[in-house]
PDB file of all heavy atoms in Angstrom:
ATOM      1  N   GLN K  20     170.990  -0.291  81.736  1.00  0.00           N
ATOM      2  CA  GLN K  20     169.839   0.003  80.867  1.00  0.00           C
ATOM      3  C   GLN K  20     169.253  -1.289  80.284  1.00  0.00           C
ATOM      4  O   GLN K  20     168.039  -1.461  80.229  1.00  0.00           O
ATOM      5  CB  GLN K  20     170.285   0.943  79.725  1.00  0.00           C
ATOM      6  CG  GLN K  20     169.151   1.308  78.800  1.00  0.00           C
ATOM      7  CD  GLN K  20     169.586   2.258  77.689  1.00  0.00           C
ATOM      8  OE1 GLN K  20     170.713   2.832  77.732  1.00  0.00           O
ATOM      9  NE2 GLN K  20     168.712   2.450  76.708  1.00  0.00           N
ATOM     10  N   PHE K  21     170.135  -2.193  79.888  1.00  0.00           N
ATOM     11  CA  PHE K  21     169.652  -3.443  79.302  1.00  0.00           C
ATOM     12  C   PHE K  21     168.903  -4.294  80.341  1.00  0.00           C
ATOM     13  O   PHE K  21     167.875  -4.913  80.061  1.00  0.00           O
ATOM     14  CB  PHE K  21     170.800  -4.227  78.697  1.00  0.00           C
ATOM     15  CG  PHE K  21     170.378  -5.569  78.133  1.00  0.00           C
ATOM     16  CD1 PHE K  21     169.610  -5.633  76.969  1.00  0.00           C
ATOM     17  CD2 PHE K  21     170.727  -6.743  78.787  1.00  0.00           C
ATOM     18  CE1 PHE K  21     169.215  -6.876  76.486  1.00  0.00           C
ATOM     19  CE2 PHE K  21     170.327  -7.957  78.275  1.00  0.00           C
ATOM     20  CZ  PHE K  21     169.563  -8.042  77.109  1.00  0.00           C
ATOM     21  N   ASN K  22     169.473  -4.286  81.594  1.00  0.00           N
ATOM     22  CA  ASN K  22     168.796  -5.028  82.664  1.00  0.00           C
ATOM     23  C   ASN K  22     167.411  -4.452  82.944  1.00  0.00           C
ATOM     24  O   ASN K  22     166.427  -5.195  83.190  1.00  0.00           O
ATOM     25  CB  ASN K  22     169.657  -5.019  83.922  1.00  0.00           C
ATOM     26  CG  ASN K  22     170.910  -5.869  83.792  1.00  0.00           C
ATOM     27  OD1 ASN K  22     170.949  -6.811  82.977  1.00  0.00           O
ATOM     28  ND2 ASN K  22     171.963  -5.537  84.532  1.00  0.00           N
ATOM     29  N   ASP K  23     167.294  -3.112  82.950  1.00  0.00           N
ATOM     30  CA  ASP K  23     165.970  -2.502  83.176  1.00  0.00           C
ATOM     31  C   ASP K  23     164.997  -2.882  82.045  1.00  0.00           C
ATOM     32  O   ASP K  23     163.801  -3.172  82.275  1.00  0.00           O
ATOM     33  CB  ASP K  23     166.111  -0.985  83.261  1.00  0.00           C
ATOM     34  CG  ASP K  23     166.860  -0.529  84.505  1.00  0.00           C
ATOM     35  OD1 ASP K  23     166.921  -1.358  85.462  1.00  0.00           O
ATOM     36  OD2 ASP K  23     167.335   0.609  84.528  1.00  0.00           O
ATOM     37  N   THR K  24     165.546  -2.906  80.821  1.00  0.00           N
ATOM     38  CA  THR K  24     164.678  -3.274  79.677  1.00  0.00           C
ATOM     39  C   THR K  24     164.191  -4.718  79.801  1.00  0.00           C
ATOM     40  O   THR K  24     163.040  -5.046  79.546  1.00  0.00           O
ATOM     41  CB  THR K  24     165.426  -3.063  78.369  1.00  0.00           C
ATOM     42  OG1 THR K  24     165.817  -1.685  78.257  1.00  0.00           O
ATOM     43  CG2 THR K  24     164.583  -3.459  77.170  1.00  0.00           C
ATOM     44  N   ARG K  25     165.155  -5.620  80.184  1.00  0.00           N
ATOM     45  CA  ARG K  25     164.776  -7.027  80.328  1.00  0.00           C
ATOM     46  C   ARG K  25     163.764  -7.222  81.449  1.00  0.00           C
ATOM     47  O   ARG K  25     162.781  -7.975  81.325  1.00  0.00           O
ATOM     48  CB  ARG K  25     166.042  -7.829  80.582  1.00  0.00           C
ATOM     49  CG  ARG K  25     165.784  -9.349  80.682  1.00  0.00           C
ATOM     50  CD  ARG K  25     167.071 -10.056  80.984  1.00  0.00           C
ATOM     51  NE  ARG K  25     167.631  -9.538  82.245  1.00  0.00           N
ATOM     52  CZ  ARG K  25     168.857  -9.843  82.699  1.00  0.00           C
ATOM     53  NH1 ARG K  25     169.667 -10.609  81.964  1.00  0.00           N
ATOM     54  NH2 ARG K  25     169.309  -9.339  83.838  1.00  0.00           N
ATOM     55  N   ASP K  26     163.985  -6.547  82.587  1.00  0.00           N
ATOM     56  CA  ASP K  26     163.038  -6.684  83.713  1.00  0.00           C
ATOM     57  C   ASP K  26     161.650  -6.177  83.335  1.00  0.00           C
ATOM     58  O   ASP K  26     160.628  -6.775  83.709  1.00  0.00           O
ATOM     59  CB  ASP K  26     163.577  -5.920  84.930  1.00  0.00           C
ATOM     60  CG  ASP K  26     164.855  -6.551  85.508  1.00  0.00           C
ATOM     61  OD1 ASP K  26     165.077  -7.761  85.199  1.00  0.00           O
ATOM     62  OD2 ASP K  26     165.558  -5.869  86.247  1.00  0.00           O
ATOM     63  N   ASN K  27     161.573  -5.108  82.625  1.00  0.00           N
ATOM     64  CA  ASN K  27     160.278  -4.561  82.192  1.00  0.00           C
ATOM     65  C   ASN K  27     159.561  -5.543  81.256  1.00  0.00           C
ATOM     66  O   ASN K  27     158.332  -5.737  81.334  1.00  0.00           O
ATOM     67  CB  ASN K  27     160.493  -3.215  81.518  1.00  0.00           C
ATOM     68  CG  ASN K  27     159.165  -2.571  81.109  1.00  0.00           C
ATOM     69  OD1 ASN K  27     158.253  -2.437  81.917  1.00  0.00           O
ATOM     70  ND2 ASN K  27     159.074  -2.197  79.827  1.00  0.00           N
ATOM     71  N   TYR K  28     160.370  -6.172  80.370  1.00  0.00           N
ATOM     72  CA  TYR K  28     159.776  -7.139  79.429  1.00  0.00           C
ATOM     73  C   TYR K  28     159.179  -8.333  80.180  1.00  0.00           C
ATOM     74  O   TYR K  28     158.038  -8.783  79.910  1.00  0.00           O
ATOM     75  CB  TYR K  28     160.843  -7.566  78.449  1.00  0.00           C
ATOM     76  CG  TYR K  28     160.406  -8.676  77.509  1.00  0.00           C
ATOM     77  CD1 TYR K  28     159.243  -8.547  76.756  1.00  0.00           C
ATOM     78  CD2 TYR K  28     161.179  -9.839  77.376  1.00  0.00           C
ATOM     79  CE1 TYR K  28     158.855  -9.565  75.893  1.00  0.00           C
ATOM     80  CE2 TYR K  28     160.788 -10.835  76.528  1.00  0.00           C
ATOM     81  CZ  TYR K  28     159.598 -10.725  75.775  1.00  0.00           C
ATOM     82  OH  TYR K  28     159.197 -11.714  74.934  1.00  0.00           O
ATOM     83  N   LEU K  29     159.939  -8.832  81.175  1.00  0.00           N
ATOM     84  CA  LEU K  29     159.435  -9.962  81.974  1.00  0.00           C
ATOM     85  C   LEU K  29     158.206  -9.549  82.781  1.00  0.00           C
ATOM     86  O   LEU K  29     157.253 -10.324  82.944  1.00  0.00           O
ATOM     87  CB  LEU K  29     160.548 -10.493  82.892  1.00  0.00           C
ATOM     88  CG  LEU K  29     161.761 -11.127  82.173  1.00  0.00           C
ATOM     89  CD1 LEU K  29     162.847 -11.501  83.189  1.00  0.00           C
ATOM     90  CD2 LEU K  29     161.321 -12.326  81.355  1.00  0.00           C
ATOM     91  N   TYR K  30     158.239  -8.360  83.345  1.00  0.00           N
ATOM     92  CA  TYR K  30     157.102  -7.871  84.122  1.00  0.00           C
ATOM     93  C   TYR K  30     155.835  -7.775  83.269  1.00  0.00           C
ATOM     94  O   TYR K  30     154.734  -8.168  83.686  1.00  0.00           O
ATOM     95  CB  TYR K  30     157.445  -6.511  84.723  1.00  0.00           C
ATOM     96  CG  TYR K  30     156.222  -5.767  85.242  1.00  0.00           C
ATOM     97  CD1 TYR K  30     155.592  -6.147  86.438  1.00  0.00           C
ATOM     98  CD2 TYR K  30     155.708  -4.674  84.523  1.00  0.00           C
ATOM     99  CE1 TYR K  30     154.483  -5.449  86.888  1.00  0.00           C
ATOM    100  CE2 TYR K  30     154.589  -3.994  84.978  1.00  0.00           C
ATOM    101  CZ  TYR K  30     153.978  -4.400  86.148  1.00  0.00           C
ATOM    102  OH  TYR K  30     152.866  -3.714  86.602  1.00  0.00           O
ATOM    103  N   GLN K  31     155.986  -7.243  82.056  1.00  0.00           N
ATOM    104  CA  GLN K  31     154.813  -7.116  81.191  1.00  0.00           C
ATOM    105  C   GLN K  31     154.249  -8.481  80.799  1.00  0.00           C
ATOM    106  O   GLN K  31     153.030  -8.641  80.669  1.00  0.00           O
ATOM    107  CB  GLN K  31     155.207  -6.330  79.927  1.00  0.00           C
ATOM    108  CG  GLN K  31     155.592  -4.879  80.160  1.00  0.00           C
ATOM    109  CD  GLN K  31     154.444  -4.062  80.775  1.00  0.00           C
ATOM    110  OE1 GLN K  31     153.272  -4.407  80.644  1.00  0.00           O
ATOM    111  NE2 GLN K  31     154.800  -2.968  81.468  1.00  0.00           N
ATOM    112  N   GLN K  32     155.126  -9.494  80.661  1.00  0.00           N
ATOM    113  CA  GLN K  32     154.630 -10.843  80.394  1.00  0.00           C
ATOM    114  C   GLN K  32     153.775 -11.364  81.552  1.00  0.00           C
ATOM    115  O   GLN K  32     152.672 -11.897  81.366  1.00  0.00           O
ATOM    116  CB  GLN K  32     155.814 -11.780  80.126  1.00  0.00           C
ATOM    117  CG  GLN K  32     156.504 -11.569  78.775  1.00  0.00           C
ATOM    118  CD  GLN K  32     157.650 -12.531  78.585  1.00  0.00           C
ATOM    119  OE1 GLN K  32     158.254 -13.002  79.554  1.00  0.00           O
ATOM    120  NE2 GLN K  32     157.991 -12.801  77.320  1.00  0.00           N
ATOM    121  N   ARG K  33     154.366 -11.219  82.780  1.00  0.00           N
ATOM    122  CA  ARG K  33     153.619 -11.696  83.963  1.00  0.00           C
ATOM    123  C   ARG K  33     152.353 -10.883  84.168  1.00  0.00           C
ATOM    124  O   ARG K  33     151.298 -11.428  84.548  1.00  0.00           O
ATOM    125  CB  ARG K  33     154.522 -11.631  85.194  1.00  0.00           C
ATOM    126  CG  ARG K  33     155.665 -12.640  85.160  1.00  0.00           C
ATOM    127  CD  ARG K  33     156.315 -12.746  86.532  1.00  0.00           C
ATOM    128  NE  ARG K  33     156.942 -11.492  86.919  1.00  0.00           N
ATOM    129  CZ  ARG K  33     158.200 -11.155  86.652  1.00  0.00           C
ATOM    130  NH1 ARG K  33     158.977 -12.000  85.958  1.00  0.00           N
ATOM    131  NH2 ARG K  33     158.698 -10.020  87.058  1.00  0.00           N
ATOM    132  N   ARG K  34     152.405  -9.590  83.940  1.00  0.00           N
ATOM    133  CA  ARG K  34     151.214  -8.737  84.123  1.00  0.00           C
ATOM    134  C   ARG K  34     150.097  -9.137  83.175  1.00  0.00           C
ATOM    135  O   ARG K  34     148.929  -9.238  83.557  1.00  0.00           O
ATOM    136  CB  ARG K  34     151.628  -7.285  83.900  1.00  0.00           C
ATOM    137  CG  ARG K  34     150.461  -6.293  83.960  1.00  0.00           C
ATOM    138  CD  ARG K  34     150.995  -4.871  83.984  1.00  0.00           C
ATOM    139  NE  ARG K  34     149.936  -3.905  83.845  1.00  0.00           N
ATOM    140  CZ  ARG K  34     149.539  -3.324  82.725  1.00  0.00           C
ATOM    141  NH1 ARG K  34     150.202  -3.634  81.593  1.00  0.00           N
ATOM    142  NH2 ARG K  34     148.554  -2.462  82.693  1.00  0.00           N
ATOM    143  N   LEU K  35     150.439  -9.411  81.902  1.00  0.00           N
ATOM    144  CA  LEU K  35     149.416  -9.799  80.930  1.00  0.00           C
ATOM    145  C   LEU K  35     148.801 -11.150  81.297  1.00  0.00           C
ATOM    146  O   LEU K  35     147.574 -11.339  81.209  1.00  0.00           O
ATOM    147  CB  LEU K  35     150.030  -9.851  79.531  1.00  0.00           C
ATOM    148  CG  LEU K  35     149.077 -10.288  78.404  1.00  0.00           C
ATOM    149  CD1 LEU K  35     147.881  -9.328  78.300  1.00  0.00           C
ATOM    150  CD2 LEU K  35     149.821 -10.372  77.074  1.00  0.00           C
ATOM    151  N   ALA K  36     149.617 -12.090  81.741  1.00  0.00           N
ATOM    152  CA  ALA K  36     149.101 -13.408  82.137  1.00  0.00           C
ATOM    153  C   ALA K  36     148.164 -13.282  83.322  1.00  0.00           C
ATOM    154  O   ALA K  36     147.108 -13.929  83.399  1.00  0.00           O
ATOM    155  CB  ALA K  36     150.273 -14.337  82.449  1.00  0.00           C
ATOM    156  N   THR K  37     148.584 -12.411  84.304  1.00  0.00           N
ATOM    157  CA  THR K  37     147.725 -12.231  85.487  1.00  0.00           C
ATOM    158  C   THR K  37     146.388 -11.594  85.104  1.00  0.00           C
ATOM    159  O   THR K  37     145.310 -12.012  85.585  1.00  0.00           O
ATOM    160  CB  THR K  37     148.458 -11.357  86.512  1.00  0.00           C
ATOM    161  OG1 THR K  37     149.687 -11.983  86.897  1.00  0.00           O
ATOM    162  CG2 THR K  37     147.588 -11.150  87.747  1.00  0.00           C
ATOM    163  N   LEU K  38     146.426 -10.597  84.237  1.00  0.00           N
ATOM    164  CA  LEU K  38     145.179  -9.955  83.827  1.00  0.00           C
ATOM    165  C   LEU K  38     144.258 -10.921  83.066  1.00  0.00           C
ATOM    166  O   LEU K  38     143.021 -10.899  83.233  1.00  0.00           O
ATOM    167  CB  LEU K  38     145.508  -8.741  82.934  1.00  0.00           C
ATOM    168  CG  LEU K  38     146.082  -7.518  83.654  1.00  0.00           C
ATOM    169  CD1 LEU K  38     146.463  -6.441  82.629  1.00  0.00           C
ATOM    170  CD2 LEU K  38     145.068  -6.961  84.649  1.00  0.00           C
ATOM    171  N   LYS K  39     144.851 -11.794  82.247  1.00  0.00           N
ATOM    172  CA  LYS K  39     144.025 -12.762  81.519  1.00  0.00           C
ATOM    173  C   LYS K  39     143.360 -13.752  82.479  1.00  0.00           C
ATOM    174  O   LYS K  39     142.185 -14.091  82.314  1.00  0.00           O
ATOM    175  CB  LYS K  39     144.882 -13.501  80.510  1.00  0.00           C
ATOM    176  CG  LYS K  39     145.256 -12.631  79.291  1.00  0.00           C
ATOM    177  CD  LYS K  39     146.029 -13.460  78.276  1.00  0.00           C
ATOM    178  CE  LYS K  39     146.318 -12.619  77.018  1.00  0.00           C
ATOM    179  NZ  LYS K  39     147.090 -13.391  76.009  1.00  0.00           N
ATOM    180  N   ARG K  40     144.124 -14.211  83.519  1.00  0.00           N
ATOM    181  CA  ARG K  40     143.510 -15.126  84.499  1.00  0.00           C
ATOM    182  C   ARG K  40     142.400 -14.418  85.269  1.00  0.00           C
ATOM    183  O   ARG K  40     141.316 -14.977  85.510  1.00  0.00           O
ATOM    184  CB  ARG K  40     144.569 -15.654  85.455  1.00  0.00           C
ATOM    185  CG  ARG K  40     145.533 -16.638  84.822  1.00  0.00           C
ATOM    186  CD  ARG K  40     146.299 -17.412  85.910  1.00  0.00           C
ATOM    187  NE  ARG K  40     147.087 -16.499  86.734  1.00  0.00           N
ATOM    188  CZ  ARG K  40     148.347 -16.144  86.474  1.00  0.00           C
ATOM    189  NH1 ARG K  40     148.958 -16.629  85.373  1.00  0.00           N
ATOM    190  NH2 ARG K  40     148.994 -15.339  87.274  1.00  0.00           N
ATOM    191  N   SER K  41     142.659 -13.156  85.648  1.00  0.00           N
ATOM    192  CA  SER K  41     141.642 -12.390  86.355  1.00  0.00           C
ATOM    193  C   SER K  41     140.408 -12.161  85.489  1.00  0.00           C
ATOM    194  O   SER K  41     139.265 -12.254  85.951  1.00  0.00           O
ATOM    195  CB  SER K  41     142.237 -11.070  86.821  1.00  0.00           C
ATOM    196  OG  SER K  41     141.245 -10.263  87.440  1.00  0.00           O
ATOM    197  N   GLN K  42     140.648 -11.867  84.215  1.00  0.00           N
ATOM    198  CA  GLN K  42     139.517 -11.648  83.310  1.00  0.00           C
ATOM    199  C   GLN K  42     138.698 -12.926  83.142  1.00  0.00           C
ATOM    200  O   GLN K  42     137.465 -12.876  83.138  1.00  0.00           O
ATOM    201  CB  GLN K  42     140.037 -11.169  81.956  1.00  0.00           C
ATOM    202  CG  GLN K  42     138.893 -10.833  80.990  1.00  0.00           C
ATOM    203  CD  GLN K  42     139.388 -10.652  79.573  1.00  0.00           C
ATOM    204  OE1 GLN K  42     140.354 -11.299  79.159  1.00  0.00           O
ATOM    205  NE2 GLN K  42     138.734  -9.751  78.840  1.00  0.00           N
ATOM    206  N   ALA K  43     139.330 -14.075  83.023  1.00  0.00           N
ATOM    207  CA  ALA K  43     138.615 -15.350  82.868  1.00  0.00           C
ATOM    208  C   ALA K  43     137.754 -15.637  84.114  1.00  0.00           C
ATOM    209  O   ALA K  43     136.593 -16.061  84.009  1.00  0.00           O
ATOM    210  CB  ALA K  43     139.596 -16.481  82.616  1.00  0.00           C
ATOM    211  N   SER K  44     138.341 -15.404  85.307  1.00  0.00           N
ATOM    212  CA  SER K  44     137.586 -15.634  86.529  1.00  0.00           C
ATOM    213  C   SER K  44     136.411 -14.664  86.637  1.00  0.00           C
ATOM    214  O   SER K  44     135.280 -15.054  86.964  1.00  0.00           O
ATOM    215  CB  SER K  44     138.521 -15.469  87.740  1.00  0.00           C
ATOM    216  OG  SER K  44     137.779 -15.614  88.940  1.00  0.00           O
ATOM    217  N   ASP K  45     136.682 -13.383  86.340  1.00  0.00           N
ATOM    218  CA  ASP K  45     135.599 -12.402  86.386  1.00  0.00           C
ATOM    219  C   ASP K  45     134.507 -12.738  85.352  1.00  0.00           C
ATOM    220  O   ASP K  45     133.306 -12.533  85.599  1.00  0.00           O
ATOM    221  CB  ASP K  45     136.148 -11.009  86.129  1.00  0.00           C
ATOM    222  CG  ASP K  45     136.991 -10.502  87.293  1.00  0.00           C
ATOM    223  OD1 ASP K  45     136.894 -11.117  88.385  1.00  0.00           O
ATOM    224  OD2 ASP K  45     137.739  -9.506  87.089  1.00  0.00           O
ATOM    225  N   GLU K  46     134.938 -13.222  84.178  1.00  0.00           N
ATOM    226  CA  GLU K  46     133.959 -13.555  83.122  1.00  0.00           C
ATOM    227  C   GLU K  46     133.006 -14.658  83.579  1.00  0.00           C
ATOM    228  O   GLU K  46     131.801 -14.592  83.344  1.00  0.00           O
ATOM    229  CB  GLU K  46     134.706 -13.981  81.871  1.00  0.00           C
ATOM    230  CG  GLU K  46     133.808 -14.261  80.678  1.00  0.00           C
ATOM    231  CD  GLU K  46     133.098 -13.031  80.174  1.00  0.00           C
ATOM    232  OE1 GLU K  46     133.596 -11.897  80.419  1.00  0.00           O
ATOM    233  OE2 GLU K  46     132.026 -13.177  79.557  1.00  0.00           O
ATOM    234  N   ARG K  47     133.593 -15.676  84.262  1.00  0.00           N
ATOM    235  CA  ARG K  47     132.728 -16.743  84.751  1.00  0.00           C
ATOM    236  C   ARG K  47     131.725 -16.226  85.792  1.00  0.00           C
ATOM    237  O   ARG K  47     130.527 -16.525  85.748  1.00  0.00           O
ATOM    238  CB  ARG K  47     133.581 -17.867  85.358  1.00  0.00           C
ATOM    239  CG  ARG K  47     134.344 -18.684  84.317  1.00  0.00           C
ATOM    240  CD  ARG K  47     134.900 -19.955  84.938  1.00  0.00           C
ATOM    241  NE  ARG K  47     135.807 -19.678  86.039  1.00  0.00           N
ATOM    242  CZ  ARG K  47     137.124 -19.502  85.895  1.00  0.00           C
ATOM    243  NH1 ARG K  47     137.673 -19.582  84.690  1.00  0.00           N
ATOM    244  NH2 ARG K  47     137.899 -19.269  86.945  1.00  0.00           N
ATOM    245  N   LEU K  48     132.243 -15.437  86.725  1.00  0.00           N
ATOM    246  CA  LEU K  48     131.357 -14.926  87.779  1.00  0.00           C
ATOM    247  C   LEU K  48     130.329 -13.963  87.193  1.00  0.00           C
ATOM    248  O   LEU K  48     129.151 -14.011  87.554  1.00  0.00           O
ATOM    249  CB  LEU K  48     132.194 -14.216  88.848  1.00  0.00           C
ATOM    250  CG  LEU K  48     133.131 -15.112  89.688  1.00  0.00           C
ATOM    251  CD1 LEU K  48     133.954 -14.260  90.646  1.00  0.00           C
ATOM    252  CD2 LEU K  48     132.319 -16.134  90.460  1.00  0.00           C
ATOM    253  N   GLN K  49     130.762 -13.106  86.297  1.00  0.00           N
ATOM    254  CA  GLN K  49     129.844 -12.128  85.710  1.00  0.00           C
ATOM    255  C   GLN K  49     128.775 -12.818  84.862  1.00  0.00           C
ATOM    256  O   GLN K  49     127.606 -12.441  84.903  1.00  0.00           O
ATOM    257  CB  GLN K  49     130.633 -11.104  84.874  1.00  0.00           C
ATOM    258  CG  GLN K  49     131.512 -10.193  85.699  1.00  0.00           C
ATOM    259  CD  GLN K  49     132.419  -9.339  84.851  1.00  0.00           C
ATOM    260  OE1 GLN K  49     132.407  -9.428  83.631  1.00  0.00           O
ATOM    261  NE2 GLN K  49     133.231  -8.517  85.492  1.00  0.00           N
TER     262      GLN K  49
END
């Protein structure tokens, strides 16, 4: 259970960083 919690926490960090990079690129193009 703890490993699943830790993996989810790391995934959410990477997901947020990816979305922010995508948003910045889209913002420039838009």
Side-chain angles (χ1 to χ4, degrees):
Q20 181 179 349
F21 177 71
N22 290 335
D23 292 341
T24 301
R25 183 182 58 189
D26 292 341
N27 182 52
Y28 174 53
L29 295 175
Y30 166 74
Q31 294 299 336
Q32 287 181 333
R33 291 193 296 270
R34 175 170 172 264
L35 179 60
T37 301
L38 287 175
K39 287 184 176 179
R40 289 196 299 270
S41 176
Q42 183 192 33
S44 177
D45 290 345
E46 183 66 23
R47 289 193 300 270
L48 293 176
Q49 291 172 0

